[in-house]
């Protein structure tokens, strides 16, 4: 994962309510400037722009201790004003890691049993990840934090200049295909060797691999020879444990698929929303033609010809919620002029 991608990921997870109003107009050019940062000094300058855009309530929420925020801000500023050289981005990496711990959401406790131990790869400044073409085989880190065999099925460049890969996980349907950035650290050309299959991530800063932790080996004690009855009991126990293990794996896989389906349903609109929309539409069709719902409580109707100032808060009835039998409904009176109501 490159430093530029980490900064962009931090910005995406900050709500618009926590930044100044002018940030919406600056965000597009800021994202492109982050992607095309040629030095760590330029990247630090972009990070300071984002920090300066945070509102005071946001800073107080993420950093209850003001000294912690000032320390992180000062470390980034020293790189931005060239007081401290950081060619490999080690200083920015530490600052961004502290920032991520404050901003990025934590996984839910119910999701932890379904999560793997995979982690994205971390790159030095200037590294942009593997260069892959459509059809290339690779390994991708899915939302369960597990490295899976995948194929590049599409690639495109965002408006900010960031290269995106669309990966298809082998053995999964196309609906699970996922877009991920080239420098996100979630795409690998090759997996670690068989001797290092337990490696969860590669740290490009140190160039080393963290071997998986293994339990200490101890010499097994000699046991007495088992009788025929004990062998049968052991075989039955082994068969039972194997069956329970298979059942546990099936249950875990079922839960994982349910979680993945819920993620997809949230993106496309949940089933409950669709059912509620159908119920609303059926209720509207059953209502009498031309019937209007009662006005909200504590509201005063606007008389015809009454002036309304810019900025006044009003309650309006959407014309799409009114069932009219005529294909061309009559015009509706407006405070200043008359507009025909069109069926949409």
């Amino acid at each position: 994962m490159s430093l530029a991608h980490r900064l962009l990921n931090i910005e995406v997870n900050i709500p618009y309510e926590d930044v100044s109003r002018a940030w919406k107009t600056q965000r597009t050019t800021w994202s492109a400037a982050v992607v095309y940062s040629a030095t760590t000094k330029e990247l630090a300058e972009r990070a300071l722009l984002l920090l300066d855009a945070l509102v005071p309530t946001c800073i107080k929420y993420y950093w209850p201790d003001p000294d912690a925020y000032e320390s992180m801000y000062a470390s980034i500023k020293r790189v931005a004003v060239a007081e401290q050289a950081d060619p490999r981005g080690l200083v920015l990496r530490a600052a961004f890691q502290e920032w991520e711990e404050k901003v990025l959401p934590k996984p839910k406790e119910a999701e932890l049993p379904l999560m793997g131990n995979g982690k994205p790869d971390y790159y030095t400044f200037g590294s942009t990840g593997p260069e892959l073409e459509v059809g290339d085989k690779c390994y991708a880190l899915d939302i369960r934090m597990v490295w899976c065999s995948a194929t590049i099925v599409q690639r495109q460049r965002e408006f900010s200049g960031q290269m995106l890969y669309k990966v298809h996980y082998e053995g999964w349907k196309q609906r699970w295909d996922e877009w991920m950035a080239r420098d996100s650290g979630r795409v690998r050309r090759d997996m670690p060797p068989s001797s290092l299959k337990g490696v969860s991530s590669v740290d490009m800063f140190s160039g080393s691999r963290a071997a998986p932790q293994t339990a200490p080996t101890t010499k097994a004690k000699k046991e007495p020879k088992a009788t025929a009855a004990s062998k049968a009991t052991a075989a039955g126990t082994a068969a039972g444990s194997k069956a329970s293990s298979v059942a546990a794996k099936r249950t875990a896989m079922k839960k994982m698929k349910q979680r993945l389906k819920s993620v997809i349903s949230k993106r496309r609109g949940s089933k409950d929303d669709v059912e509620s929309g159908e119920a609303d539409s059926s209720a509207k069709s059953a209502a009498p033609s031309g019937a209007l719902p009662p006005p909200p409580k504590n509201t005063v109707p606007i008389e015809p010809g009454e002036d309304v100032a810019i900025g006044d808060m009003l309650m309006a009835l959407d014309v799409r919620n009114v069932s009219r039998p005529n294909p061309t409904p009559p015009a509706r009176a407006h405070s200043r002029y008359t507009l025909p109501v069109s069926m949409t």
Side-chain angles (χ1 to χ4, degrees), residues 16 22-23 28 36 67 69 98 119 151 153 156-157 172 180 185 216 224 230-231 235 237-238 243 265 291 296:
Y16 274 128
W23 184 255
T28 302
Y36 289 105
D67 295 337
Y69 171 78
E98 179 183 352
K119 294 181 179 179
T151 305
V153 295
Q156 72 177 25
R157 189 174 295 276
W172 293 81
M180 54 185 62
S230 62
K231 287 182 179 180
T237 304
S265 64

Side-chain angles (χ1 to χ4, degrees), residues 51 63 67-77 95 98-99:
L51 285 173
W63 290 274
D67 295 337
Y69 171 78
E70 294 296 337
S71 175
M72 187 192 72
Y73 188 96
S75 63
I76 298 177
K77 187 175 181 180
E98 179 183 352
W99 203 348

